[in-house]
Amino acid sequence: MLINNAGVMMPPYGKTANGFELQIGTNHMGHFALTGHLMPLLKATQDSRVVNVSSVGHRTGKIDLNDLNWEARKYSPSQAYGDSKIANIYFTYELKRRYARDEAAPTVTAAHPGWTTTDLQRHSGMFRFLNPLFGQGVDMGALPTLRAALDPQAESGDYYGPGRHFEMHGHPVKVASNRRSHDEAMASALWDKSMAATGVAY
């Protein structure tokens, strides 16, 4: 199984070594490229699975395909984070669609950890302040990803998150991503942009 869990959250503006805005580069482009490189191995492995770790923050995502790297707009760390997290969902659903007729393709699922207290929030004073009040421990936060990876009944396109308090806490259940994340035209366009940007062809 491949669990795409690399992530940064709301850092100051910066770019990856490859020239991507830091959040879209780390949270999406890296996962897109790695999965593409590993797809032959995944297809050659029986019952393989890909898990893309997203966030409730995907609900604020509204990707500008013409400015993925925030070079033409005033940078918003929180918006860029939301964009990168909805990109994880678009990638999951588009990967499912493109390999729907390939019996050797891996199962592809997604998950989010809810509000989990980790160092991911180090760039946000608000989240650091509220973590002791609202955050759950990493042992609970890891469970949705583990279920997405290990549940024998999981199907491609399933999305898991905590089951209580608006998906912030609790044991993992199947949850629904927002309406925008089901925009197939956007998902397909992001896929094409990602292939061109990374040079990784599926």
Side-chain angles (χ1 to χ4, degrees):
M1 59 189 66
L2 168 62
I3 299 177
N4 287 317
N5 187 47
V8 291
M9 179 179 174
M10 303 182 194
Y13 185 76
K15 288 189 174 182
T16 68
N18 301 97
F20 300 117
E21 182 273 322
L22 191 58
Q23 296 187 87
I24 199 73
T26 304
N27 299 353
H28 168 65
M29 293 294 183
H31 295 161
F32 182 91
L34 179 62
T35 305
H37 284 306
L38 292 177
M39 187 57 72
L41 177 61
L42 290 162
K43 289 180 63 176
T45 304
Q46 186 174 359
D47 298 325
S48 63
R49 192 172 299 190
V50 175
V51 181
N52 296 314
V53 180
S54 184
S55 165
V56 291
H58 86 272
R59 296 170 184 162
T60 67
K62 192 174 182 181
I63 292 174
D64 184 343
L65 289 173
N66 295 315
D67 191 25
L68 284 174
N69 294 314
W70 290 81
E71 294 170 332
R73 295 169 289 166
K74 181 179 179 181
Y75 187 60
S76 168
S78 59
Q79 185 61 56
Y81 178 71
D83 292 354
S84 72
K85 293 287 102 181
I86 200 170
N88 298 144
I89 304 293
Y90 285 139
F91 177 42
T92 300
Y93 295 161
E94 189 66 11
L95 190 60
K96 172 191 173 181
R97 281 189 288 269
R98 294 193 180 225
Y99 284 87
R101 297 183 181 180
D102 188 337
E103 294 183 357
T107 299
V108 54
T109 60
H112 78 81
W115 191 324
T116 300
T117 302
T118 71
D119 195 41
L120 183 71
Q121 297 109 333
R122 64 186 177 276
H123 295 294
S124 170
M126 179 189 73
F127 279 102
R128 288 201 311 272
F129 176 76
L130 294 176
N131 265 339
L133 299 175
F134 297 107
Q136 63 179 356
V138 292
D139 53 343
M140 290 297 293
L143 291 182
T145 299
L146 291 173
R147 182 170 180 186
L150 299 171
D151 189 332
Q153 297 184 6
E155 298 178 349
S156 282
D158 285 352
Y159 182 36
Y160 296 92
R164 296 189 297 112
H165 304 145
F166 306 100
E167 299 178 26
M168 294 294 182
H169 308 105
H171 288 89
V173 297
K174 270 201 253 190
V175 296
S177 60
N178 71 351
R179 181 180 297 180
R180 184 177 288 127
S181 70
H182 292 278
D183 184 336
E184 294 185 12
M186 174 61 83
S188 180
L190 178 63
W191 180 285
D192 292 341
K193 284 267 189 181
S194 302
M195 276 210 306
T198 62
V200 175
Y202 278 68

